[in-house]
């Protein structure tokens, strides 16, 4: 008798939920097979990555310091993906923000208020990232260049510019080094937790950005118009929605968030400009946003998982003599099977209808 209500509840669970759970289980099985083929034990790998991410306060702090720019980049991508735009130029926008922040800090005269200088550096990062994002938008809308190809090309441009600055006008006195420009003074850095890379202010900025993104996408007319443009551009235009303005706005907002991420890499993590200032976090944010299916409510837990995998994988070469790129396989497998699960769910739904 009591089992009937339980069966009724189970029957009401959407089919897509079963597909998601099944896809996750298959992904775990695939990952276990890959680890086994690497002559390692899945349990040992899991324990090693856990120790690498949470084995000490310093390692956990590194997870959080990686999480901050990852959250910011993912929040920005939610806007462009919602508008139906695959902004692969996110890496370049992070780098543009880092370059802009470095430019401002180098231009600050001695004796200037450090708090104001850091604030201006972050604002410069916002401006640099936003302008780089808008340029990608202009190339897409008015130049008829796919945002995918425009973004990838602009990534190479900013990467080349960063290299030029590090080895050219901004190179360290008497040395040209991949380690980056001359480090800024401690006064021009955000306060960190102890001697770690974790800055509570950076985390606060990332959380505020996440809340802002969730509210705008889920509870505002602007977010509704973005969804309309993303779902059907022609229909949105017929209904009087300014599609071009919405698309450019999404590029600008995404670039601004990416610019903040780049500036925080300068003022909170590396304390200088390095050639790979983005640390490939833009591409990682693309995986996060695709895995959460553009749902801002899921960004934090998935971004935390990916940040933990990213940092934890650094322990694998040391403890198990495995390449740290294994974390990339894990992340990619989770994304691949999640997409396959979503696709099968939609296919089943369409067949049933």
């Amino acid at each position: 008798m009591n089992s009937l209500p339980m069966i009724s509840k189970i029957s009401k669970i959407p089919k897509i939920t079963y597909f998601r759970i099944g896809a996750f289980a298959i992904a775990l099985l695939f990952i276990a097979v890959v680890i086994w083929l690497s002559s390692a034990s899945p349990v040992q790998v899991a324990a090693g990555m856990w120790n690498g991410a949470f084995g000490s306060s310093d390692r956990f702090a590194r997870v959080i310091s990686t999480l901050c720019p990852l959250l910011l980049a993912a929040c920005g991508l939610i806007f462009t993906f919602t508008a139906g735009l695959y902004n692969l130029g996110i890496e370049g926008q992070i780098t543009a923000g880092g370059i802009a922040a470095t430019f401002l800090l180098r231009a600050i005269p001695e004796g200037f208020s450090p708090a104001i200088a850091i604030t201006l550096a972050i604002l410069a990062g916002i401006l640099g990232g936003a302008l780089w994002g808008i340029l990608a938008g202009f190339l897409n809308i008015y130049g008829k260049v796919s945002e995918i190809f425009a973004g990838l090309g602009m990534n190479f441009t900013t990467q080349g510019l960063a290299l030029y600055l590090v080895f050219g006008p901004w190179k360290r006195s008497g040395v040209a080094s991949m380690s980056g420009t001359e480090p800024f003074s401690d006064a021009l850095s955000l306060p960190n937790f102890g001697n770690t890379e974790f800055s509570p202010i950076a985390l606060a900025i990332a959380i505020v950005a996440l809340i802002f993104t969730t509210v705008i996408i889920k509870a505002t007319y602007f977010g509704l118009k973005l969804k309309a443009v993303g779902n059907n551009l022609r229909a949105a235009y017929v209904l009087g929605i300014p599609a071009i303005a919405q698309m450019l706005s999404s590029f600008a907002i995404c670039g601004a968030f990416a610019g903040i991420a780049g500036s925080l890499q300068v003022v909170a993590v590396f304390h200088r400009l390095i050639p790979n200032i983005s640390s490939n976090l833009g591409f990682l944010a693309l995986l996060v946003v695709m895995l959460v299916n553009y749902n801002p409510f899921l960004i934090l837990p998935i971004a935390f998982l990916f940040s933990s995998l990213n940092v934890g994988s650094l322990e694998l070469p040391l403890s198990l003599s495995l390449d740290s790129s294994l974390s990339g396989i894990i992340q990619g497998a989770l994304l691949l099977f999640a997409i396959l699960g979503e696709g099968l769910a939609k296919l089943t739904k369409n067949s049933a209808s």
Side-chain angles (χ1 to χ4, degrees):
M1 295 290 291
N2 293 334
S3 63
L4 291 177
M6 180 63 69
I7 295 173
S8 176
K9 288 180 181 179
I10 294 174
S11 65
K12 292 180 181 179
I13 298 176
K15 278 189 176 181
I16 193 170
T17 302
Y18 293 116
F19 279 102
R20 286 171 175 166
I21 294 172
F24 182 71
I26 295 173
L28 292 180
L29 180 61
F30 174 81
I31 292 166
V33 171
V34 171
I35 293 173
W36 178 75
L37 291 174
S38 302
S39 302
S41 162
V43 174
Q44 287 180 325
V45 169
M49 296 187 76
W50 177 272
N51 184 56
F54 308 110
S56 68
S57 58
D58 286 350
R59 292 173 180 179
F60 181 65
R62 190 175 300 164
V63 170
I64 302 301
S65 70
T66 302
L67 175 66
C68 296
L70 184 58
L71 278 178
L72 286 161
C75 286
L77 285 170
I78 284 288
F79 286 91
T80 50
F81 273 60
T82 300
L85 300 164
Y86 297 93
N87 181 20
L88 266 63
I90 185 75
E91 278 281 310
Q93 290 149 30
I94 294 174
T95 304
I99 292 172
T102 303
F103 173 81
L104 189 134
L105 289 176
R106 289 177 62 89
I108 291 292
E110 290 187 17
F112 200 82
S113 168
I116 296 176
I118 293 172
T119 302
L120 291 175
I122 295 174
L123 292 175
I126 293 174
L127 181 61
L131 289 176
W132 209 244
I134 291 173
L135 179 55
F138 270 97
L139 288 173
N140 173 244
I141 295 168
Y142 297 107
K144 305 302 180 184
V145 180
S146 166
E147 72 275 11
I148 295 174
F149 297 116
L152 290 174
M154 293 175 71
N155 288 347
F156 284 113
T157 302
T158 49
Q159 180 69 33
L161 179 58
L163 282 168
Y164 166 72
L165 292 171
V166 168
F167 288 100
W170 294 352
K171 72 176 181 179
R172 299 175 67 175
S173 179
V175 61
S177 172
M178 285 292 288
S179 64
T181 59
E182 195 73 38
F184 296 112
S185 66
D186 292 341
L188 294 178
S189 300
L190 285 177
N192 288 2
F193 183 77
N195 293 322
T196 69
E197 297 175 351
F198 164 49
S199 169
I201 295 176
L203 179 61
I205 291 172
I207 295 299
V208 169
L210 180 59
I211 294 171
F212 173 85
T213 300
T214 304
V215 171
I216 294 297
I217 295 296
K218 293 291 186 180
T220 67
Y221 185 49
F222 178 79
L224 186 62
K225 289 191 290 185
L226 273 185
K227 292 175 187 175
V229 171
N231 288 332
N232 193 318
L233 180 60
R234 186 176 294 277
Y237 179 79
V238 171
L239 291 172
I241 295 175
I244 291 178
Q246 294 297 121
M247 293 165 72
L248 284 176
S249 296
S250 69
F251 272 113
I253 295 171
C254 182
F257 278 135
I260 298 175
S263 64
L264 290 179
Q265 290 287 85
V266 172
V267 300
V269 179
F270 298 110
H271 311 294
R272 61 190 182 277
L273 179 69
I274 64 171
N276 188 26
I277 192 69
S278 69
S279 300
N280 296 322
L281 292 174
F283 289 136
L284 193 59
L286 284 165
L287 297 182
V288 171
V289 173
M290 293 174 72
L291 195 57
V292 304
N293 199 25
Y294 319 154
N295 184 351
F297 288 114
L298 298 177
I299 288 178
L300 181 58
I302 299 300
F304 182 77
L305 170 64
F306 275 34
S307 178
S308 302
L309 290 173
N310 224 34
V311 175
S313 64
L314 300 176
E315 178 70 14
L316 297 181
L318 301 175
S319 60
L320 299 174
S321 299
L322 292 174
D323 198 285
S324 60
S325 61
L326 183 60
S327 74
I329 297 175
I330 295 173
Q331 293 160 5
L334 290 173
L335 175 63
L336 174 62
F337 285 100
I339 292 174
L340 289 175
E342 295 285 338
L344 287 173
K346 290 178 181 178
L347 184 62
T348 304
K349 183 179 179 181
N350 292 337
S351 300
S353 59

